[in-house]
Amino acid sequence: MAAKSQICSIWLGSETGILKGVSLTKKQAFNFCEMSCLSRDQEGCVMAWGDPQESEVLVGSVNGTVKTFSTDKGIFTATRECGDPSQGRFTGLAVTDSSLITCVESGLLKVWKEGSTETVEVNVGNGICRMQQNPSQRHRVATGGKENPLRVWDLERPDKPIFTAKNVAQDWLDMRVPVWVRDIGFIPDSDKIVTCTGHQQVRVYDPSTPQRRPVLEARFGEYPLTALSLPASRGTVVVGNTHGELAILDLRKGLVCGCLKGLAGAVRGLQCHPSLPLVASCGLDRFLRVHSLEDRSLQHKVYLKSRLNCVLLSSRELESSSADDSGDVEEVKAEEDEVWDTMETVTEKTKKRAAQKDEATVTGVDGKKKRKLVKK
């Protein structure tokens, strides 16, 4: 299993509890799990890298455990109890200074210090949908959810948030606009934060200014947005919704730059490559798709047989020679292809042709030709 895990560049968590690794270079997909104790309560809902060298993958499960998978050894090396399933699923997972950060739907955010039983607990409010770590300032995280506005927390001083977003003004009917933050992203080299909501809104906040309302707001589609990711090229964001629609939005003008086609189910996981113009997406249709952000074409399509919840990209090259393989669309369907290849081809006569063979043309008394049914 070590040889298989070392060539994987994309990792995915599924509803069945199986950790899936994909190698685009070898065009193969692998399952990593302990079959003896596999169950639905081990469903992976969040993922994160355990170290800067990307040799460990952390998987947060529905049952409240966080498992550590070694990409060098190809096995799970540790399991840690980090939550109570009654408090909801994990909504975020991060690592800072050898400490583990977890957050659940009930709003309980914990910092688990390595080698110590003491934990730092922060109540960030109910209905949390997402907790995201700031990549440049790893001791800061942002949270948000349903009727829970965007908040930024400094875990070194967790008494109160350092930024709390203010709801937008009332709509044209003078009614309050509901709050539903679904995903969060930190814009690199700036203090700005971008969010997507369950009401089709993409908003940009700037905590460095006195204004607590969004400095930019855009809308996409007619269905709730579920995930977002920031590409390596600055100034844009990729968002996905519950109807399998992916779009690239310009964060300067608030306009849609283009759409990425090919999806057939709700988008659950979305991540852009940190250095290449590529974005990986997964969801309910059981496919991993990799699109190019330059020409918006589908580069890879891999069938993984389970509903997928989250995706994690390696920072290294996804494939050894992208120029030779560009435009290829491969599907890992080994079992399905074997079944279809071994089936016999069945040919069946149509009713029309069978009826024509049972008829004969005869000449009547009046000289007209008529068709007569021939009994066999």
Side-chain angles (χ1 to χ4, degrees), residues 359-373:
E359 290 178 353
T361 304
V362 296
T363 303
V365 178
D366 53 358
K368 294 183 179 180
K369 292 183 177 181
K370 299 180 180 179
R371 287 185 176 180
K372 182 180 179 181
L373 185 64

Side-chain angles (χ1 to χ4, degrees), residues 171-187:
D171 60 11
W172 63 281
L173 289 174
D174 200 24
M175 297 182 66
R176 176 185 175 275
V177 178
V179 177
W180 191 4
V181 179
R182 295 296 299 268
D183 204 355
I184 305 169
F186 287 87
I187 300 178

Side-chain angles (χ1 to χ4, degrees), residues 157-226:
R157 300 183 299 273
D159 298 335
K160 61 179 181 179
I162 59 176
F163 174 79
T164 302
K166 188 178 181 180
N167 196 10
V168 296
Q170 297 180 347
D171 60 11
W172 63 281
L173 289 174
D174 200 24
M175 297 182 66
R176 176 185 175 275
V177 178
V179 177
W180 191 4
V181 179
R182 295 296 299 268
D183 204 355
I184 305 169
F186 287 87
I187 300 178
D189 301 331
S190 71
D191 295 329
K192 295 182 180 179
I193 304 171
V194 58
T195 67
C196 67
T197 73
H199 303 289
Q200 309 96 44
Q201 301 137 342
V202 178
R203 293 169 175 167
V204 179
Y205 297 86
D206 190 356
S208 62
T209 63
Q211 181 177 352
R212 293 193 293 132
R213 282 177 172 163
V215 296
L216 181 141
E217 180 173 330
R219 300 182 71 91
F220 169 69
E222 300 177 354
Y223 305 101
L225 300 177
T226 55

